[in-house]
């Protein structure tokens, strides 16, 4: 395919020069006044001080009420006497918990939390999130987004899904179940029950399996070596399977009810171990928890284990029938109905929902009477209600939840075209694009414009060809969307305040069909004193700083005025991420290396060890399409020869290999 529109002729005389050619020379200004030797200076100072006069700049003297500063002392400094830690409030030891104020990694620091994360002792700052809601109401969608957002904010967060454990207990799923404990963490470190691996079940899970199968406890013995996986996970032995059809969820089915309760408590205990013994900050219990009795049981279990832990109920309610239908479509492709007839599966699933509905009590008066904090989400963000929120985590999550929307859209991320400083290998600066950078900007505009048209056609075809219940093999449309709403979707282009980013968007700015905006929060990470240097120069002139950064790039902060680190970039992009989540339009972010790394880390749920090392070279273009089950992700590489973008079908995030980056 020819893409002539993507070419740009080279401009005569355009070039980028090294800043070293323009360095200014500085001369030290001197005066006729001769500085006396040290002994003469002290004698003169003593005489003038006693007369109440001081020397002026020309060597004369002028009267002054202020004595001259004394000469530096040559005596050794006095030893620093540190204060003795004490309790000023009372003669008895302090018993109240520490204050639960805001913790922002990289932006706050304290004696117990030098890195700004929630300290292990600050139990009152930690949070148990208990999900509430009928099946197919988007609970798992919400939990995954919460986990991704909190982890990106550097708070240790983990989801504990009761349904997955219920399938294992009932024999429907047989593993693998990974050990979530840190390496080298043994059962002897636990303050409570031992956690279950294969052949070693905790008491609640053993009770659940006994209820199901009528047999005794599983022997506590090491499984054969052949059953161990390289990742350390183990296959759970399969009991006699109990069918997970609608009858299993009938409240009148006492045997199944006891199983579900035991599994729920077992999963909650695992969550509490994570928070109290494994340095977790937030644990999310993903289950229906649809009755007051079940919620009170969980609440009591948590308070019995640790009274200071925060507890937040989040209920997802779905009133939109189209949205509920879309959610049910996803359930039919889930583990309970995989490879089963979709028509029969839909009928069974609706019966399951009816069984839950017969005993379901929404959050409200009971929780308010007992001063329990909760958040209610209606139609995944259309309406949000919250009650008596306590702690910075609960308040922040309430704000984040208001940004949720299910609109189909694309989020594009790229770096600016090549700049003059890029060509010279210099950090930071505010240089113009090179000729190659200008060509990249033109090709980017042409490619995005074409993909925007292609996406609209694909979505319309998908909606028109959809059936319900879905036929075997049919791809499920993710959202209830009308054709008119797809046509009216805007396309935003966001750049930083730096010239190389703004110039990359020049062609979009000239097209009225795009909305271009410059954001200071999208600026490149500030290198402080090292702005304008190359990585080689930093390694040569400041080897200690170079080594510190190499050892921990995520925590490292560049020295000097305005110097930043990756944690500071994460903090200033928090509002940007919320805005991307909130809008229903397409968006293209033309950023910089650090900005692209941080945004990619959020959407792709990368670990903190990967954020600062993610390889994001010039010429790469990424597109993310949010889905109820996660994201669709595609990567493209700029092809200078064809002046177009080639899709990388096997792309996987990898670490940068270039020196210093």
């Amino acid at each position: 395919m020819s893409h002539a529109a993507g070419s740009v002729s080279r401009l005569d005389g355009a070039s980028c020069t090294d800043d070293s050619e323009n360095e200014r020379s500085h001369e030290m200004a001197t005066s006729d006044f001769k500085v006396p030797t040290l002994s003469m200076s002290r004698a003169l100072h003593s005489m003038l001080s006693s007369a109440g006069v001081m020397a002026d700049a020309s060597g004369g003297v002028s009267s002054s009420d202020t004595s001259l500063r004394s000469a530096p002392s040559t005596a050794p400094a006095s030893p620093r006497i540190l204060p003795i830690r004490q309790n000023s409030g009372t003669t008895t030891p302090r018993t109240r918990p520490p204050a639960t104020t805001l913790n922002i990694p990289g932006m706050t620091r304290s004696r117990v939390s030098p890195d700004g994360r929630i300290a292990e002792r600050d139990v009152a700052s930690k949070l148990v999130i208990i999900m509430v809601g009928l099946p197919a109401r988007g609970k798992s969608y919400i939990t995954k987004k919460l986990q991704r957002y909190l982890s990106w904010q550097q708070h240790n967060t983990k989801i504990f899904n009761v349904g997955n454990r219920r399938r294992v207990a009932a024999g429907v799923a047989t593993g693998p179940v990974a050990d979530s404990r840190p390496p080298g963490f043994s059962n002897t470190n636990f303050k409570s029950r031992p956690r279950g691996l294969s052949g070693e079940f905790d008491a609640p899970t053993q009770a659940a399996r006994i209820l199901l199968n009528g047999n005794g406890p599983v022997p506590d013995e090491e499984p054969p070596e052949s059953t161990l996986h390289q990742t350390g996970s183990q296959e759970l032995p399969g009991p006699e399977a109990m069918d997970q059809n609608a009858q299993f969820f009938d409240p009148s089915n006492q045997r199944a009810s006891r199983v579900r309760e035991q599994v729920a408590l077992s999963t909650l205990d695992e969550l509490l171990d994570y928070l109290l013994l494994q340095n977790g900050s937030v644990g999310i219990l993903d289950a229906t928890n649809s009755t007051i009795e079940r919620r009170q049981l969980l609440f009591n279990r948590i308070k019995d284990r640790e009274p200071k832990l925060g507890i937040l109920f989040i209920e997802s309610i779905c009133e939109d029938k189209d949205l509920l239908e879309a959610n049910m479509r996803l359930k039919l492709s889930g583990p309970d109905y995989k490879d089963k007839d979709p028509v029969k599966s839909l009928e069974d699933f609706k019966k399951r929902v009816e069984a839950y509905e017969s005993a379901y009590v929404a959050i409200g008066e009971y929780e308010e009477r007992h001063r329990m904090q909760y958040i209610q989400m209606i139609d995944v963000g259309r309406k949000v209600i919250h009650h008596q929120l306590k702690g910075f985590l609960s308040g922040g999550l309430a704000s984040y939840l208001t940004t949720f929307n299910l609109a189909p859209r694309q989020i594009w991320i790229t770096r600016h075209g090549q700049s003059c400083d890029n060509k010279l290998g210099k950090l930071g600066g505010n240089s113009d694009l090179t000729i190659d950078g200008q060509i990249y900007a033109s090709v980017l505009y042409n490619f995005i414009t074409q993909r925007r048209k292609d996406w609209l056609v694909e979505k319309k075809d998908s909606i028109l060809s959809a059936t319900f219940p879905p036929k075997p093999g049919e791809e499920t449309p993710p959202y209830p969307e009308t054709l008119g709403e797809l046509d009216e979707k805007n396309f935003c282009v966001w750049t930083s305040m730096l010239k190389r980013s703004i110039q990359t968007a020049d062609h979009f700015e000239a097209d009225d069909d795009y909305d271009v905006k410059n954001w200071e929060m999208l600026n490149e990470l500030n290198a402080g004193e090292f702005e304008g240097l190359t990585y080689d120069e930093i390694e040569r002139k400041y080897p200690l700083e170079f080594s510190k950064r190499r050892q921990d790039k995520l925590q490292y902060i560049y020295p000097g005025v305005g110097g930043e680190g990756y944690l500071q970039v994460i903090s200033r992009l928090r509002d940007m991420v919320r805005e991307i989540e909130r809008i229903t339009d397409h968006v293209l972010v033309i950023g910089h290396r650090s900005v692209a790394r941080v945004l990619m880390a959020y959407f792709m749920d990368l670990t903190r060890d990967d954020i600062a090392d993610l390889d994001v070279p010039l010429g790469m273009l990424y597109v993310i399409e949010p889905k109820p089950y996660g994201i669709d992700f595609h990567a493209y590489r700029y092809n200078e020869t064809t002046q177009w973008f080639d899709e990388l079908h096997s792309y996987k995030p990898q670490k940068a290999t270039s020196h210093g980056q």
Side-chain angles (χ1 to χ4, degrees):
M1 175 183 289
S2 174
H3 304 286
S7 63
V8 172
S9 61
R10 296 182 177 270
L11 304 178
D12 294 335
S15 64
C16 295
T17 58
D18 193 330
D19 289 347
S20 61
E21 299 175 7
N22 301 318
E23 291 183 352
R24 299 177 180 176
S25 60
H26 297 278
E27 297 181 357
M28 297 296 292
T30 60
S31 68
D32 294 334
F33 179 73
K34 303 298 183 182
V35 180
T37 62
L38 180 60
S39 58
M40 291 177 64
S41 175
R42 288 178 177 170
L44 179 61
H45 166 251
S46 178
M47 292 170 59
L48 295 178
S49 178
S50 62
V53 296
M54 60 183 291
D56 62 20
S58 62
V61 294
S62 62
S63 60
S64 172
D65 292 333
T66 305
S67 299
L68 288 178
R69 184 177 297 174
S70 60
S73 172
T74 57
S78 300
R80 184 185 176 197
I81 302 176
L82 297 175
I84 299 174
R85 292 198 61 79
Q86 58 181 316
N87 186 354
S88 61
T90 177
T91 56
T92 60
R94 172 175 169 174
T95 57
R96 67 179 182 275
T100 56
T101 54
L102 187 65
N103 285 285
I104 304 178
M107 303 297 286
T108 61
R109 188 180 302 129
S110 66
R111 179 177 58 85
V112 297
S113 179
D115 59 2
R117 296 190 178 96
I118 296 175
E120 189 171 356
R121 75 156 201 190
D122 290 343
V123 177
S125 293
K126 300 186 177 187
L127 188 63
V128 178
I129 297 176
I130 300 177
M131 298 303 299
V132 177
L134 294 168
R137 264 59 178 181
K139 295 186 301 299
S140 294
Y141 167 79
I142 294 170
T143 60
K144 289 174 183 176
K145 295 201 71 164
L146 290 178
Q147 185 272 334
R148 179 158 53 94
Y149 178 73
L150 289 167
S151 297
W152 179 71
Q153 290 287 300
Q154 307 303 299
H155 298 300
N156 296 331
T157 306
K158 189 174 179 182
I159 298 171
F160 296 82
N161 187 287
V162 175
N164 291 342
R165 192 154 189 167
R166 178 251 305 163
R167 294 181 191 98
V168 172
V172 176
T174 58
V177 175
D179 184 4
S180 61
R181 293 171 292 182
F185 201 90
S186 65
N187 282 336
T188 58
N189 297 119
F190 281 86
K191 296 178 183 177
S192 61
R193 56 170 181 79
R195 293 253 318 284
L197 293 175
S198 177
E200 181 192 345
F201 291 99
D202 50 68
T205 303
Q206 286 211 26
R209 296 172 72 85
I210 293 171
L211 285 169
L212 276 172
N213 306 308
N215 52 11
V218 180
D220 186 9
E221 59 185 24
E222 196 73 14
E225 185 176 351
S226 60
T227 66
L228 297 177
H229 292 275
Q230 292 181 354
T231 59
S233 61
Q234 303 176 7
E235 293 286 343
L236 293 173
E240 180 186 349
M242 183 177 188
D243 195 3
Q244 305 283 285
N245 57 22
Q247 292 181 356
F248 182 84
F249 301 94
D250 188 338
S252 62
N253 187 337
Q254 305 234 340
R255 181 185 174 205
S257 294
R258 289 197 301 271
V259 170
R260 297 199 308 273
E261 180 176 303
Q262 291 284 0
V263 172
L265 292 175
S266 174
T267 309
L268 178 62
D269 286 338
E270 188 179 355
L271 183 156
L272 295 175
D273 284 344
Y274 171 71
L275 293 183
L276 301 175
L277 304 176
Q278 301 175 35
N279 203 28
S281 297
V282 181
I284 306 175
L285 188 68
D286 185 8
T288 56
N289 302 315
S290 55
T291 66
I292 292 175
E293 293 75 18
R294 169 61 62 81
R295 296 194 290 269
Q296 187 65 61
L297 177 67
L298 299 174
F299 187 91
N300 294 341
R301 185 87 162 198
I302 296 168
K303 291 301 181 182
D304 289 345
R305 178 84 179 268
E306 177 48 74
K308 295 190 290 290
L309 274 175
I311 304 173
L312 172 65
F313 292 99
I314 298 181
E315 181 178 28
S316 181
I317 299 173
C318 188
E319 298 175 349
D320 187 311
K321 293 183 179 179
D322 292 332
L323 179 60
L324 184 59
E325 178 183 304
N327 289 342
M328 287 186 176
R329 282 175 166 273
L330 291 174
K331 281 292 185 181
L332 298 186
S333 60
D336 285 337
Y337 297 105
K338 187 177 181 181
D339 300 327
K340 294 183 179 180
D341 179 77
V343 176
K344 292 182 179 179
S345 296
L346 177 63
E347 181 182 353
D348 181 82
F349 182 74
K350 287 183 175 180
K351 290 181 180 178
R352 178 193 298 192
V353 174
E354 289 175 0
Y356 272 111
E357 285 177 333
S358 65
Y360 174 62
V361 179
I363 282 179
E365 182 181 348
Y366 180 85
E367 284 74 16
E368 293 176 12
R369 225 175 36 240
H370 291 79
R371 298 183 179 181
M372 299 177 181
Q373 59 175 341
Y374 71 78
I375 299 174
Q376 268 185 339
M377 289 189 69
I378 292 89
D379 294 337
V380 195
R382 179 179 60 82
K383 181 179 179 181
V384 178
I385 302 170
H386 56 79
H387 172 261
Q388 204 166 1
L389 299 186
K390 303 173 184 176
F392 67 93
L393 283 176
S394 296
L397 290 178
S399 175
Y400 176 63
L401 289 172
T402 62
T403 66
F404 283 22
N405 77 83
L406 295 174
R409 64 201 188 279
Q410 290 187 314
I411 301 163
W412 296 84
I413 299 173
T414 189
R415 289 176 64 186
H416 53 80
Q418 185 193 57
S419 70
C420 296
D421 284 335
N422 288 142
K423 195 170 184 178
L424 299 170
K426 294 185 175 183
L427 275 69
N430 193 20
S431 61
D432 295 306
L433 292 182
T434 63
I435 296 301
D436 287 338
Q438 294 175 33
I439 296 174
Y440 178 81
S442 178
V443 175
L444 177 66
Y445 165 76
N446 291 327
F447 181 77
I448 291 292
T449 301
Q450 182 61 50
R451 287 301 302 143
R452 182 182 180 183
K453 295 175 182 177
D454 295 343
W455 181 89
L456 184 60
V457 172
E458 292 168 4
K459 289 301 172 189
K460 286 184 176 181
D461 288 345
S462 178
I463 291 174
L464 292 173
S465 62
T467 61
F468 188 74
K471 298 175 182 177
E474 179 180 293
E475 184 177 349
T476 300
Y479 316 105
E481 192 79 10
T482 63
L483 300 180
E485 289 173 331
L486 291 174
D487 286 326
E488 296 170 0
K489 199 167 292 293
N490 293 318
F491 202 115
C492 302
V493 178
W494 295 346
T495 78
S496 74
M497 292 285 194
L498 301 176
K499 289 192 291 185
R500 56 190 182 274
S501 177
I502 294 173
Q503 291 172 6
T504 305
D506 278 349
H507 294 276
F508 295 100
E509 185 74 81
D511 187 339
D512 288 338
D513 209 23
Y514 290 94
D515 299 294
V516 181
K517 183 177 289 187
N518 313 129
W519 300 71
E520 188 170 359
M521 65 179 68
L522 286 175
N523 283 1
E524 176 62 296
L525 184 154
N526 192 311
E529 292 180 4
F530 297 164
E531 286 276 316
L533 299 180
T534 67
Y535 286 114
D536 287 335
E537 289 173 332
I538 296 173
E539 184 177 22
R540 186 173 66 255
K541 296 179 180 179
Y542 307 96
L544 291 180
E545 289 292 330
F546 187 86
S547 177
K548 282 169 57 178
R549 180 177 179 273
R550 199 168 192 173
Q551 290 172 6
D552 190 353
K553 288 172 65 177
L554 183 65
Q555 301 280 346
Y556 178 79
I557 299 176
Y558 279 103
V561 177
E564 292 182 300
Y566 275 91
L567 292 179
Q568 285 70 39
V569 176
I570 291 174
S571 181
R572 66 171 152 96
L573 286 179
R574 185 188 303 116
D575 289 339
M576 171 65 65
V577 162
R578 290 182 179 182
E579 184 66 3
I580 293 175
E581 291 282 14
R582 184 192 66 81
I583 64 174
T584 59
D585 299 318
H586 302 298
V587 62
L588 165 65
V589 177
I590 302 176
H592 306 268
R593 178 188 285 122
S594 66
V595 169
R597 281 173 168 169
V598 169
L599 290 177
M600 292 275 288
Y602 168 74
F603 286 107
M604 301 190 70
D605 196 17
L606 301 181
T607 67
R608 63 172 55 112
D609 295 331
D610 297 328
I611 295 176
D613 291 317
L614 180 65
D615 188 30
V616 187
L618 291 174
M620 287 297 297
L621 177 63
Y622 310 97
V623 60
I624 295 154
E625 193 168 341
K627 302 282 187 179
Y629 50 79
I631 62 169
D632 275 352
F633 175 83
H634 299 275
Y636 300 86
R637 180 186 289 130
Y638 172 54
N639 188 323
E640 291 186 57
T641 304
T642 62
Q643 292 194 6
W644 205 243
F645 285 86
D646 300 328
E647 183 171 1
L648 306 178
H649 296 282
S650 59
Y651 174 85
K652 292 182 180 179
Q654 56 188 5
K655 290 191 174 184
T657 56
S658 299
H659 181 61
Q661 296 180 5

